[in-house]
Amino acid sequence: MLSSKYISVSFLLLSLSLHAVNCTDPLYHFCFSQENYTATSRYGTNLNGLLNLLSTKVPSKGFGLSSTGQGQDQANGLALCRGDVSKTNCTTCVIDAGKELGNRCPYKKGAIIWYDNCLLKYSNIDFFGEIDNKNKFYMWNVQDVENPTSFIPKVKDLLSRLSNKAYANPKFYATGDLKLDSSSKLYGLAQCTRDLSGLDCKKCLDTAISELPNCCDGKRGGRVVGGSCNVRYELYPFVDA
């Protein structure tokens, strides 16, 4: 396994126009396992079966996990779609994610990929129920707000409220907004993978919020995205009602 990764990708958030970016483009990925498999191996067969299973299991509820095979050849995986994503778009995202990881992490036993609409992770190691603190990256808008002194506490306030709301929601998902002035609002999202306990979901989200100063203080938008949870804020609506 590779050591903890904290990747900054500000170039992916160049301006507010980013909300028009094609949602089929991956945000980021990690090939986190140094172990390989072959196409004809039992693990390869189990992984293919796992990806097919997740593509049918996940869309109905927006989340799913499963394992195929046994022992050292067992493939474990989960997929999570953003809480507002339709069943059709969730299906498309999970299928695309599996194909894309096959291209980007060929024959690696462990990998993870994120899109705007979903994340997909698999490994030969059983990781269910554990907070993933190793696979993480940051994104932010390169533009600064005019008054960061008053803006930064409002970001923390909104996301903290959403953290409390998300971990108490069976879907571990929450969105909301906060009025900044007569003509503008701050929009936020908090979400966890549902293999976590409620308390671990909140722990994961609160840790992500605490890391925002590493990337995003005073920025017009930002995200901390991990393998178990993510938080995001923007000055425009970015989820479907």
Side-chain angles (χ1 to χ4, degrees):
M1 298 284 288
L2 297 179
S3 60
S4 297
K5 316 169 189 72
Y6 295 93
I7 305 300
S8 304
V9 283
S10 63
F11 59 88
L12 292 174
L13 279 179
L14 296 179
S15 70
L16 286 179
S17 64
L18 190 76
H19 66 278
V21 164
N22 190 342
C23 290
T24 61
D25 295 330
L27 300 177
Y28 214 79
H29 74 281
F30 290 118
C31 312
F32 59 77
S33 175
Q34 295 184 2
E35 294 186 60
N36 296 322
Y37 68 93
T38 62
T40 58
S41 66
R42 287 185 179 180
Y43 184 82
T45 300
N46 292 335
L47 178 58
N48 288 334
L50 172 69
L51 295 176
N52 289 331
L53 181 60
L54 290 176
S55 70
T56 58
K57 182 178 182 179
V58 171
S60 62
K61 296 183 178 180
F63 174 77
L65 55 79
S66 192
S67 299
T68 56
Q70 296 179 339
Q72 294 182 343
D73 296 316
Q74 181 170 291
N76 311 284
L78 62 75
L80 172 71
C81 288
R82 202 173 68 188
D84 64 313
V85 172
S86 69
K87 181 178 178 180
T88 299
N89 289 339
C90 181
T91 301
T92 299
C93 191
V94 174
I95 291 174
D96 288 348
K99 293 178 180 177
E100 196 65 27
L101 276 183
N103 294 330
R104 297 186 178 216
C105 304
Y107 305 119
K108 292 295 183 182
K109 286 190 174 182
I112 184 170
I113 193 167
W114 296 265
Y115 292 73
D116 264 331
N117 283 349
C118 72
L119 75 82
L120 173 69
K121 178 182 179 181
Y122 60 77
S123 177
N124 61 316
I125 298 172
D126 184 351
F127 58 86
F128 301 146
E130 299 179 1
I131 298 175
D132 183 352
N133 289 314
K134 295 182 178 180
N135 300 295
K136 185 178 295 186
F137 66 100
Y138 307 143
M139 296 175 67
W140 65 88
N141 191 314
V142 295
Q143 295 182 342
D144 296 322
V145 296
E146 293 181 359
N147 189 348
T149 302
S150 63
F151 183 76
I152 291 170
K154 292 177 181 178
V155 170
K156 184 176 181 180
D157 175 57
L158 174 60
L159 293 180
S160 295
R161 288 196 287 110
L162 294 179
S163 172
N164 289 330
K165 186 177 177 181
Y167 97 93
N169 183 329
K171 291 187 176 181
F172 285 176
Y173 172 77
T175 61
D177 58 66
L178 187 153
K179 188 174 182 180
L180 298 176
D181 53 44
S182 59
S183 61
S184 62
K185 287 183 178 181
L186 178 67
Y187 300 86
L189 174 149
Q191 186 172 21
C192 298
T193 58
R194 288 178 234 163
D195 59 315
L196 299 182
S197 67
L199 290 178
D200 278 346
C201 173
K202 179 167 174 53
K203 181 180 179 181
C204 185
L205 292 171
D206 290 346
T207 298
I209 295 168
S210 74
E211 293 178 15
L212 281 170
N214 295 342
C215 63
C216 309
D217 270 359
K219 300 300 182 182
R220 293 175 65 88
R223 314 186 201 186
V224 176
V225 186
S228 294
C229 70
N230 74 96
V231 294
R232 179 181 180 184
Y233 73 90
E234 304 287 355
L235 287 172
Y236 58 84
F238 57 90
V239 298
D240 291 333

